[in-house]
Amino acid sequence: MGDVLLALSIPVLVFGGGIYAACDCWWRRRHPAPPSPYTHRAARLAEQEMLLLAEGVVDDAYATLGPLYDAPAAPCPAGPPAGLSSRSPRADATPDRAPSRPAAARRR
């Protein structure tokens, strides 16, 4: 008789565990926990820290590269470079703001 009770106790425990899990799931759906204020506060602090870090990166980049953009471009007093001439453009050149033709395929 002891072996029969032991053999029947395993399905009863599994079935009872399933009932408990279903009831617990139902209860948690009906009564959700309020959101933690610490979670929202931590998210706000992380966001502020990220913005300060990004601001520092932008400030450093501007301090490093700012003079490149602030200085006006001085015209070259010697005229155009040696390779350029003032004659009309080549016949196969496309006008400004128009897409250029694809290059011809090359075989190796």
Side-chain angles (χ1 to χ4, degrees):
M1 181 78 176
D3 293 338
V4 174
L5 288 176
L6 183 61
L8 291 177
S9 67
I10 294 173
V12 168
L13 285 173
V14 170
F15 183 73
I19 295 292
Y20 175 80
C23 291
D24 185 49
C25 183
W26 174 83
W27 177 262
R28 289 188 187 273
R29 266 195 230 141
R30 298 292 188 266
H31 304 89
S36 173
Y38 300 110
T39 304
H40 293 293
R41 185 166 186 256
R44 283 193 304 269
L45 290 174
E47 180 183 2
Q48 288 174 354
E49 183 179 346
M50 180 186 63
L51 288 174
L52 288 174
L53 180 64
E55 183 178 335
V57 168
V58 170
D59 288 344
D60 289 345
Y62 183 75
T64 303
L65 302 174
L68 295 175
Y69 296 106
D70 291 339
C76 184
L84 298 178
S85 63
S86 61
R87 60 187 164 126
S88 64
R90 297 181 354 196
D92 62 343
T94 57
D96 290 340
R97 294 191 177 94
S100 60
R101 293 183 315 192
R106 295 159 115 191
R107 291 190 180 186
R108 291 184 179 196

